[in-house]
């Protein structure tokens, strides 16, 4: 093949790659938003996020497939969400004395919670690989040369609705105002009579639910094993770092950016060095934007 | 984490040898004699335990002198381990040649990583080190012509020909551990060590005295990376095999757990507690693999909560005593 041919083929693949990268990126953004919610108000990085969300995905599998219970998909999801909220509550109860003392210690403590969640998944469900599908219609249509599937549209719709609802709550409700006040200045917020712990707990619960949604949507593209969701959440960490760990819109942009870049890299360069590439992105991005890409543009927005 | 630093490792010139140092010497004496009294499998396990203690020290050193948490030290350990294993299997060179080279490579990679991350701290550094740990197994597996891929390499060259290998694995690891704790104690008393601690606790003051934050970060990462590479090298020698499964993100997290279990101590007994935890728990639980992460997680949480509540309980107890007088 001559050079123009190679370039033409590369260009033809480019659009579908960017599209599918954007879809995955939305999911990374859901994971990253959960991490950022917790970090913004309590300065704790929740390293258990991926493992707990993975545990929830396994619970949904267990509740709907007959391993633990035989329920409909919706009921299984509801039950798993309740379980995850309980886990978030428990986690926060354990580490809340540390949060106000030393955020680094509290962060290490979340690693412990993550280890327990992973061990619990192994103990209950074993190390086998299982499949967990979404009950969405299977169809695909061609738009401007792009192949858009029902799964893509579901992911996009769920991500838009979830993130839209989250931003609405934060911008327009009392809880959201309290959340913003605490992330701006916890001391002043406490003096004004806000209960830090209850707002922290709100962030932990929202993050846990976002994690479950992200996990549910990512699993159909691969399979479900003990490490699937945790590995997926690592990209969410990269997204949050690039977006500047304390910015919600930043993590959205970071997620989509990571999704597209990783997709292009695995297609054009090599799928075998994706973690190394991720490391490269993180180091380069942090050197150019030490506090995230939205440092100047979105300084005042939450 | 910050205030306890000052009281560790300072020698009181009036009293001569401090009790902590006495304990250190006693522990060394016991460990030197131990192989004559215990079985072969214990000698092997203790050798690995000493190696793990060095790994714990490398993470604790970063916490103490840099104020930073790393969840990527398996990266530097892998560099040391593979340096020893590759020179051993491909070129037939033994530890006296490969160990110094491993440490040099570890320091170099620590500096190399510290430079692009020089302005990062806290969470940003932790996530960067996490990415470092994730990249390592991938690199090892894809360089399989050199590293042996998934199967790994077997380290078999003796340091002293003619001496039983199991004793060599034990005593070399012990020697390395003692050397590292001694070097860290010297660092604490040196001008450079004090400058690093100053840069950590009062960056502005350190700037005024001519220690820039970038310099402090690069040198702390360099030293810590060097110790981690030494850990990897000794682990490769004492454990006899080197494979990518020993240097994953979880290995890095376990090192951090060991460091927390030893309360970030830089002394020999504390490092041994952390190393023993990392070595013995998987051995005791080898039949029920799934319990290992649960137990590590519980230990991590438990130690952190003890570290949090113990000073308070002591304080209350102290007040009670005073009130009773």
């Amino acid at each position: 093949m001559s050079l123009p041919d190679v370039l033409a083929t590369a260009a033809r693949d480019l659009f579908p790659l960017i599209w599918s990268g954007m879809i995955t990126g939305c999911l990374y953004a859901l994971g990253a938003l959960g991490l950022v919610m917790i970090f913004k108000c309590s300065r704790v990085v929740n390293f258990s996020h991926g493992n707990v969300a993975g545990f929830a995905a396994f619970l949904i599998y267990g509740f709907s497939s007959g391993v633990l219970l035989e329920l409909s998909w919706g009921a299984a999801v509801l039950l798993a969400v309740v379980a995850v909220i309980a886990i978030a509550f428990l986690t926060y109860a354990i580490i809340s004395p540390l949060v106000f003392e030393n955020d680094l210690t509290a962060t290490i403590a979340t690693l412990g919670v993550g280890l327990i969640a992973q061990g619990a998944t192994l103990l209950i469900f074993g190390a086998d690989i299982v499949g967990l599908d979404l009950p969405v219609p299977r169809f695909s249509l061609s738009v401007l040369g792009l192949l858009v599937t029902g799964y893509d549209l579901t992911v996009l719709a769920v991500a838009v609705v979830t993130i839209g609802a989250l931003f609405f709550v934060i911008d327009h409700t009392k809880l959201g105002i309290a959340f913003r006040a605490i992330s701006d200045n916890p001391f002043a917020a406490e003096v004004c009579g806000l209960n830090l712990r209850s707002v922290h707990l709100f962030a932990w619960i929202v993050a846990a639910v976002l994690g479950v949604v992200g996990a549910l949507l990512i699993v159909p593209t691969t399979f479900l094993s003990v490490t699937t969701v945790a590995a997926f959440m690592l990209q969410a960490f990269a997204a949050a770092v690039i977006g500047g760990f304390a910015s919600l819109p930043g993590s959205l942009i970071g997620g989509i950016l990571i999704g597209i870049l990783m997709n292009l890299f695995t297609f054009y360069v090599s799928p075998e060095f994706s973690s190394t590439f991720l490391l490269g992105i993180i180091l380069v991005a942090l050197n150019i934007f030490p506090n995230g890409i939205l440092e100047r543009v979105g300084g005042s927005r939450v | 984490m910050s205030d306890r630093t000052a009281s560790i490792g300072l020698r009181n010139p009036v009293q001569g040898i401090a009790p902590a140092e006495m304990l250190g010497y006693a522990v060394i004496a016991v460990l030197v004699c131990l192989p004559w009294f215990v079985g072969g499998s214990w000698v092997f396990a203790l050798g690995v335990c000493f190696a793990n203690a060095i790994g714990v020290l490398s993470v604790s050193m970063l916490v103490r002198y840099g104020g930073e948490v790393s969840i990527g030290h398996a990266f530097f350990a892998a560099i040391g381990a593979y340096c020893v294993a590759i020179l051993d299997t491909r070129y037939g060179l033994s530890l006296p040649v490969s160990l110094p080279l491993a440490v040099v490579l570890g320091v170099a990679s620590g500096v190399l990583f510290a430079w692009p991350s020089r302005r990062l701290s806290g969470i940003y550094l932790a996530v960067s080190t996490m990415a470092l740990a994730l990249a390592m197994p991938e690199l090892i597996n894809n360089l399989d012509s050199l590293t042996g891929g998934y199967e790994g390499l077997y380290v078999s060259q003796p340091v002293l020909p003619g001496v039983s290998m199991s004793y060599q694995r034990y005593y070399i690891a012990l020697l390395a551990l003692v050397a590292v704790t001694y070097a860290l104690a010297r660092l604490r008393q040196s001008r450079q060590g004090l400058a690093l601690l100053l840069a950590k606790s009062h960056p502005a003051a350190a700037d005024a005295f001519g220690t820039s934050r970038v310099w402090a970060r690069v040198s702390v990462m360099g030293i810590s990376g060097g110790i981690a590479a030494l850990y990897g090298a000794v682990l490769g020698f004492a454990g006899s095999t080197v494979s990518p499964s020993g240097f994953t993100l979880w290995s890095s997290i376990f090192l951090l757990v060991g460091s927390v279990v030893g309360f970030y101590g830089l002394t020999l007994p504390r490092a041994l507690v952390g190393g023993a935890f990392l070595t013995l728990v998987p051995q005791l639980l080898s039949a029920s693999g799934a319990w290992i992460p649960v137990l590590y997680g519980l230990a991590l949480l438990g130690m952190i909560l003890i570290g949090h509540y113990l000073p308070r309980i002591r304080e209350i107890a102290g007040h009670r005593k005073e009130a009773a007088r």
Side-chain angles (χ1 to χ4, degrees), chain A residues 45 47 97-98 101-102 105 108-109 111-112 115 118-119 123 234 241 244-245 272-276 279 286-287, chain B residues 1 71 116 118-120 123-124 127 130 134 138 142 250 256 264 290-291 293-294 297 300-301 304 308-309 312:
Chain A
V45 183
F47 277 106
L98 309 167
E101 178 138 314
N102 187 330
T105 312
I108 298 176
L111 279 172
L115 283 167
Q118 195 193 21
L123 281 172
L234 295 173
V241 161
F245 231 98
E272 286 166 349
F273 291 98
S274 55
S275 296
T276 315
L279 170 68
L286 284 180
N287 261 281
Chain B
M1 245 183 280
I71 40 181
R118 65 197 177 280
R119 283 181 294 178
L120 310 182
I123 171 55
Y124 292 103
V127 173
M130 184 177 80
L134 285 172
E138 211 170 76
N142 281 297
W250 291 113
L256 186 63
Y264 311 110
W291 282 100
V294 175
L300 188 56
L301 280 181
I304 287 174
H308 177 78
Y309 285 112
R312 280 166 186 68

Side-chain angles (χ1 to χ4, degrees), chain A residues 243 247 249-250 253 289 291-302:
Chain A
S247 158
I253 296 171
F289 313 102
N291 291 310
I293 41 178
L294 286 189
E295 188 190 10
R296 299 225 180 102
V297 189
S300 63
R301 182 126 167 22
V302 177

Side-chain angles (χ1 to χ4, degrees), chain A residues 114-139:
Chain A
L115 283 167
I116 295 172
Q118 195 193 21
T121 315
L122 271 172
L123 281 172
I124 301 173
F125 299 99
D128 293 339
I129 290 167
V130 298
L132 180 65
D133 234 345
L134 277 181
V136 293
R138 290 174 185 282
F139 66 90

Side-chain angles (χ1 to χ4, degrees), chain A residues 1-10:
Chain A
M1 266 203 299
S2 65
L3 188 65
D5 284 343
V6 173
L7 285 179
T9 329

Side-chain angles (χ1 to χ4, degrees), chain A residues 52-295:
Chain A
V52 171
F55 183 60
F58 262 102
L59 279 183
I60 293 170
Y61 160 77
F63 290 150
S64 62
S65 71
V67 175
L68 300 177
L69 292 170
E70 188 101 50
L71 295 173
S72 69
W73 190 81
V77 170
L78 210 66
L79 211 57
V81 166
V82 170
V84 162
I85 290 176
I87 293 173
F89 197 87
L90 204 66
T91 311
Y92 186 72
I94 292 170
I95 70 164
S96 67
L98 309 167
V99 169
F100 297 100
E101 178 138 314
N102 187 330
D103 38 26
L104 213 52
T105 312
T107 298
I108 298 176
T110 64
L111 279 172
V113 175
L115 283 167
I116 295 172
Q118 195 193 21
T121 315
L122 271 172
L123 281 172
I124 301 173
F125 299 99
D128 293 339
I129 290 167
V130 298
L132 180 65
D133 234 345
L134 277 181
V136 293
R138 290 174 185 282
F139 66 90
S140 55
L141 46 124
S142 184
V143 185
L144 300 170
L146 278 180
L147 196 68
V148 179
T149 63
Y151 167 77
D152 290 352
L153 293 180
T154 314
V155 169
L156 213 56
V158 171
V160 166
V161 168
T162 317
I163 294 171
L166 180 62
F167 282 136
F168 179 82
V169 166
I170 286 170
D171 276 347
H172 297 288
T173 64
K174 265 197 170 166
L175 201 55
I177 294 168
F179 175 76
R180 279 185 289 160
I182 283 174
S183 42
D184 271 354
N185 189 338
F187 178 70
E190 198 171 21
V191 169
C192 292
L194 283 171
N195 185 348
L196 294 193
R197 278 174 212 271
S198 59
V199 176
H200 284 181
L201 205 55
F202 156 72
W204 275 83
I205 289 170
V206 168
V209 174
L210 286 175
V212 178
V213 173
L216 261 185
L217 291 175
I218 197 80
V219 168
T221 61
T222 95
F223 47 80
L224 185 57
S225 81
V226 180
T227 49
T228 315
V229 180
F232 148 69
M233 283 299 176
L234 295 173
Q235 332 269 17
F237 270 105
V241 161
I242 288 173
F245 231 98
S247 158
L248 291 173
S251 61
L252 188 58
I253 296 171
I256 292 173
L257 211 61
I258 287 279
I260 294 173
L261 285 176
M262 294 300 284
N263 219 14
L264 292 180
F265 179 84
T266 45
F267 186 82
Y268 287 118
V269 188
S270 153
E272 286 166 349
F273 291 98
S274 55
S275 296
T276 315
F277 180 63
L278 201 65
L279 170 68
I281 298 181
I282 291 178
L283 285 182
V284 169
L286 284 180
N287 261 281
I288 304 171
F289 313 102
N291 291 310
I293 41 178
L294 286 189
E295 188 190 10

Side-chain angles (χ1 to χ4, degrees), chain B residues 7-19:
Chain B
S7 61
I8 300 290
L10 276 181
R11 191 195 296 257
N12 186 343
V14 184
Q15 289 176 332
I17 301 171

Side-chain angles (χ1 to χ4, degrees), chain B residues 14 31 46 65 79 109 123 158 225 234 239 252 255 305 313-314 318:
Chain B
V14 184
L31 290 178
L46 280 168
Y65 284 85
I79 286 177
S109 54
I123 171 55
V234 173
S252 300
L255 280 183
L305 290 176
I313 295 169
R314 270 198 197 142

